[in-house]
Amino acid sequence: MCPPPVYLDHAATTPVRPEVLEAMAPFLGPRFGNPSSLHRWGREARAALDEARERVAGTLGANSDEVCFTSCGTEGDNLAVLGAWRARRTAGRNAVVSTPIEHKAVLGAVHEAGREGAEERLLEVDANGIVTAESFDALVRDDAAVCSVMWVNNEIGVVQPVPELAAKAAERGVTFHTDAVQAFGKVPVDASSQRFDSLTISGHKIGAPKGIGALYIRRGTVIEPLMHGGSQDRGRRPGTENVAFAVGLACAAELAVAERETECRRLAALRDRLEAELMARIPDAVVHGRGAPRAPHILNISVPGTDSESLLLALDLAGVAASAGSACQSGSVTPSHVLAALGVRYDLSTAAVRMSLGSLTTEECVDRVSQLFPALIQKARRLAGATA
Ligand code: PLP
């Protein structure tokens, strides 16, 4: 009998939690009202939406009017970066600052601001991917409108010192956004004691469905809406609200926060076990970001003499789902912009494989992958040799 497949791609997406499905179900069924309607169906939907907003705010240490529901993390990042730039730009505050290792959702928004006249500035990161203090001090000055630094990197898992960076940005009057899509549920997030002005989360990374996220926007932070229409969400995000998914996000966010410490301990132990076993079997493998604080759910590893596509193919054939730290197109592998920014050697950056752990990961999964790995590496080396 075939062993069950192993899912090691939780940073890409997570299964919807049964508690979340159950909480959402009535709003996909009989409680279908539009929260803007004045009748009883509408009032019922409004009450559910208000409660969901309150509960998401609670998980962020925020007030409920500081939570804006979005369709995904990408929308939250765009609204935070572009919206703040458009609202704040003046001749004397014309720069948008970010890092070269952001998700494309932030980098795309930064480039769009650039097309609209912003001066784009990218902070320097060290060999582990951590923003250097010198470059932050040099680039985040009082002529910058917005600075966006991700909390946890989605490819290598490194954790930036966001509370410290946010405090510095606040001293310089720069609006500070953080993409916490991979961080929420993994690091303590508390808007009441940390100084970020906006923060993005995404439901499908924490057991809610795809298609819902939230942007925290601190009171007093100016942001221009990206869309124009009705007055929903205080005009920040017009469009009829997705009540069912907002309820699902609230449920998932509360569970993620309640379970954060125990789940992080569990995942860190599994990640360390996987890493140690892989390194023992393939001593010339390289783990990216290893010298920096890392979130417990992401392991990014390169094996010399392989390429990501061949190894992912070999893993998939063996029933193991992982992903590349690089964008694979058939026959060619584009090196990851994250690993390039860290100065990783080209042959290693095109060999990177990201394994991301989560609710489905057990010791058996980790041990199975470790045992399979040497044979898969041999296979991948043969495949890589054949296509070289
Ligand atoms: N930011 C980070 C760090 C991510 O990992 C992702 C998704 O992978 C996103 C933003 C985009 O989130 P979404 O898929 O909800 O648009």
Side-chain angles (χ1 to χ4, degrees):
M1 208 177 68
C2 272
V6 175
Y7 184 77
L8 280 180
D9 207 10
H10 291 81
T13 198
T14 58
V16 176
R17 297 183 65 143
E19 305 92 321
V20 170
L21 260 185
E22 196 184 327
M24 287 169 37
F27 302 96
L28 296 167
R31 298 169 71 180
F32 60 86
N34 182 328
S36 298
S37 302
L38 293 179
H39 47 63
R40 66 173 62 213
W41 281 270
R43 288 197 304 274
E44 184 179 62
R46 165 68 46 200
L49 185 68
D50 288 349
E51 189 194 320
R53 200 186 300 279
E54 187 84 41
R55 289 170 62 195
V56 171
T59 67
L60 298 170
N63 303 296
S64 61
D65 59 311
E66 294 175 312
V67 171
C68 174
F69 287 114
T70 60
S71 64
C72 58
T74 300
E75 184 188 338
D77 286 343
N78 272 267
L79 182 54
V81 173
L82 261 183
W85 144 254
R86 287 175 182 163
R88 292 207 65 192
R89 64 177 148 192
T90 57
R93 255 194 208 281
N94 189 41
V96 174
V97 189
S98 192
T99 81
I101 64 165
E102 298 297 309
H103 189 274
K104 292 277 166 71
V106 166
L107 287 176
V110 170
H111 295 330
E112 180 56 28
R115 279 189 286 275
E116 293 176 11
E119 181 198 335
E120 294 178 46
R121 294 182 186 158
L122 291 185
L123 297 161
E124 188 182 83
V125 294
D126 65 19
N128 286 303
I130 300 295
V131 167
T132 66
E134 300 74 45
S135 108
F136 193 85
D137 288 340
L139 300 189
V140 184
R141 303 188 302 256
D142 60 8
D143 60 350
V146 192
C147 173
S148 184
V149 177
M150 73 196 318
W151 207 325
V152 168
N153 180 268
N154 51 302
E155 290 189 21
I156 56 175
V158 295
V159 183
Q160 303 291 341
V162 159
E164 290 78 8
L165 300 180
K168 280 197 197 178
E171 282 166 18
R172 298 163 203 176
V174 178
T175 299
F176 187 91
H177 167 254
T178 184
D179 173 341
V181 166
Q182 297 291 345
F184 185 77
K186 302 296 187 309
V187 302
V189 174
D190 179 21
S192 70
S193 62
Q194 298 159 340
R195 286 290 296 117
F196 49 79
D197 297 301
S198 57
L199 174 142
T200 302
I201 65 172
S202 173
H204 73 105
K205 311 291 183 179
I206 58 166
K210 294 156 205 50
I212 185 74
L215 179 65
Y216 161 79
I217 307 172
R218 186 176 296 281
R219 283 181 185 163
T221 301
V222 287
I223 285 193
E224 259 192 33
L226 298 181
M227 296 189 292
H228 302 276
S231 58
Q232 290 94 343
D233 221 319
R234 295 162 189 270
R236 296 176 298 204
R237 209 272 181 176
T240 303
E241 300 92 338
N242 189 343
V243 180
F245 281 31
V247 168
L249 180 65
C251 177
E254 282 184 344
L255 289 167
V257 168
E259 296 169 0
R260 186 180 65 77
E261 287 185 24
T262 38
E263 184 61 357
C264 282
R265 262 198 302 278
R266 189 182 79 85
L267 294 179
L270 289 171
R271 192 267 321 268
D272 290 348
R273 182 182 176 113
L274 180 61
E275 185 173 315
E277 289 293 326
L278 297 184
M279 291 305 293
R281 288 170 161 87
I282 318 281
D284 61 341
V286 176
V287 171
H288 303 291
R290 201 182 194 185
R294 277 181 297 158
H297 64 307
I298 295 178
L299 173 62
N300 191 313
I301 193 164
S302 293
V303 177
T306 65
D307 63 61
S308 316
E309 202 182 9
S310 306
L311 186 50
L312 287 176
L313 198 66
L315 281 163
D316 189 35
L317 288 171
V320 180
S323 78
S326 51
C328 287
Q329 288 142 0
S330 61
S332 77
V333 178
T334 317
S336 135
H337 68 284
V338 174
L339 298 180
L342 268 60
V344 172
R345 242 173 44 211
Y346 181 83
D347 63 313
L348 290 179
S349 71
T350 52
V353 167
R354 177 187 73 181
M355 300 182 190
S356 50
L357 293 67
S359 59
L360 299 175
T361 315
T362 60
E363 265 184 21
E364 292 73 59
C365 299
V366 162
D367 291 346
R368 199 165 131 231
V369 174
S370 312
Q371 281 151 18
L372 283 170
F373 215 62
L376 296 182
I377 292 298
Q378 269 190 6
K379 195 171 189 171
R381 280 183 172 145
R382 274 201 307 274
L383 281 170
T387 53

